[in-house]
Amino acid sequence: MKKYCRDLRVTSIEKLSPKHVLIKLTQDESFPAMLPGQFVQVRIDHSTSTMLRRPISINYVDLSSNELWLLVAAVGDGTRELAQVHSGDTLNCLFPLGNGFTGPEQFHGKRVLLVGGGVGVAPLLFQGQLLLDAGIVPNFLLGARSAKDILELEQFQDLGQVFITTEDASLGEGGFVTDHSVLRTDHFDFIQTCGPKPMMASVARYAREKNIQCEASLENLMACGIGACLCCVEKTDEGNLCVCTEGPVFNIKKLLW
């Protein structure tokens, strides 16, 4: 898939929680085809401590308004600087990078569960939209520390059935995503997940126990995004692979978790 390096214009920025913002970007020409699970490398122009681009998952592509959405967790110098942009600002972006989740053409007649934790819910919104467009109603299982950390809930509810866990039990069921009762009462044919590695490892163990096909979108540290720096290497059944080029989405059968 062809990659682009473009200056994209910020159309809006919305604060979703104390540390999360949704940035919407556009350009004069139409955006190229992109897949849920792929990511963008964003240049940080005004941070003296940030030399490298920051990888941000593609949250959504709105074709009707020609907008690319990025869901950003402001947790370090680079992302905190990124969270301070304003409408009309320009961000230099390299995109789309990596591979994506298996598409809806593989899921007709099957029940799909999309499991996300924290800002890892980002690629699942776009994937859920593509599933629904193909006539497949997605199921979402979203986890966070507390109710205020559940992101884009209304958008997920517009696409399918949403199950929630929070560690403090302030919304949905208490505990982690793998504690949710839906995993004991319902059957799913395929799981796709993104979030903190311990969460994804737990989801992977559940999928293996239940013999369910499962894909995980890894969040390894990615500095270059094109396989040159080797800082995002993951051990797999094929040896060490760069997450930014061979992933970030992997079938869990390949992962040594």
Side-chain angles (χ1 to χ4, degrees):
M1 184 176 286
K2 185 176 180 180
K3 301 174 179 61
Y4 300 82
C5 186
R6 298 279 172 78
D7 289 328
L8 304 182
R9 186 173 66 259
V10 178
T11 58
S12 69
I13 180 167
E14 179 183 354
K15 193 174 184 64
L16 302 184
S17 83
K19 69 174 183 179
H20 297 98
V21 297
L22 175 63
I23 302 174
K24 297 183 181 181
L25 302 165
T26 194
Q27 60 179 6
D28 292 337
E29 59 189 279
S30 298
F31 278 109
M34 289 179 267
L35 300 172
Q38 291 185 307
F39 64 98
V40 176
Q41 288 283 107
V42 183
R43 192 177 70 201
I44 310 298
D45 290 329
H46 303 295
S47 173
T48 57
S49 62
T50 307
M51 302 298 294
L52 300 171
R53 291 175 181 262
R54 288 296 182 263
I56 308 294
S57 293
I58 294 172
N59 178 219
Y60 193 77
V61 178
D62 189 338
L63 297 177
S64 64
S65 59
N66 196 40
E67 287 182 331
L68 168 62
W69 297 11
L70 302 180
L71 185 57
V72 177
V75 294
D77 289 346
T79 49
R80 282 195 291 268
E81 184 67 32
L82 183 57
Q84 299 302 313
V85 299
H86 299 90
S87 296
D89 288 348
T90 297
L91 293 177
N92 184 266
C93 298
L94 179 62
F95 67 97
L97 301 177
N99 68 353
F101 288 111
T102 295
E105 64 277 359
Q106 303 295 321
F107 298 142
H108 290 288
K110 298 182 179 180
R111 293 196 74 204
V112 183
L113 180 66
L114 307 181
V115 184
V119 75
V121 303
L124 305 184
L125 185 67
F126 190 17
Q127 177 70 348
Q129 182 67 67
L130 295 190
L131 289 171
L132 187 61
D133 290 345
I136 303 162
V137 179
N139 300 275
F140 300 98
L141 176 52
L142 310 180
R145 291 182 178 179
S146 65
K148 64 180 175 59
D149 300 311
I150 295 291
L151 307 172
E152 301 184 310
L153 179 56
E154 291 184 4
Q155 288 91 336
F156 282 109
Q157 290 173 330
D158 287 340
L159 298 178
Q161 188 166 11
V162 180
F163 307 97
I164 295 173
T165 63
T166 49
E167 294 177 29
D168 64 359
S170 56
L171 186 65
E173 297 186 12
F176 303 115
V177 290
T178 47
D179 297 324
H180 199 287
S181 60
V182 71
L183 298 182
R184 299 188 296 274
T185 61
D186 287 30
H187 168 75
F188 299 99
D189 301 296
F190 207 106
I191 296 173
Q192 295 173 319
T193 185
C194 184
K197 188 171 183 177
M199 184 211 79
M200 291 193 292
S202 294
V203 172
R205 285 194 295 270
Y206 168 82
R208 291 189 180 103
E209 291 170 0
K210 300 296 184 181
N211 196 29
I212 300 172
Q213 290 289 312
C214 181
E215 291 176 335
S217 181
L218 275 57
E219 296 187 319
N220 295 31
L221 178 65
M222 291 182 276
C224 72
I226 56 174
C229 69
L230 304 181
C231 74
C232 66
V233 165
E234 179 76 19
K235 292 182 179 180
T236 74
D237 62 353
E238 297 179 5
N240 292 335
L241 296 178
C242 285
V243 169
C244 65
T245 53
E246 302 298 326
V249 178
F250 291 90
N251 190 299
I252 62 167
K253 293 179 180 178
K254 295 180 68 67
L255 300 173
L256 304 182
W257 292 352

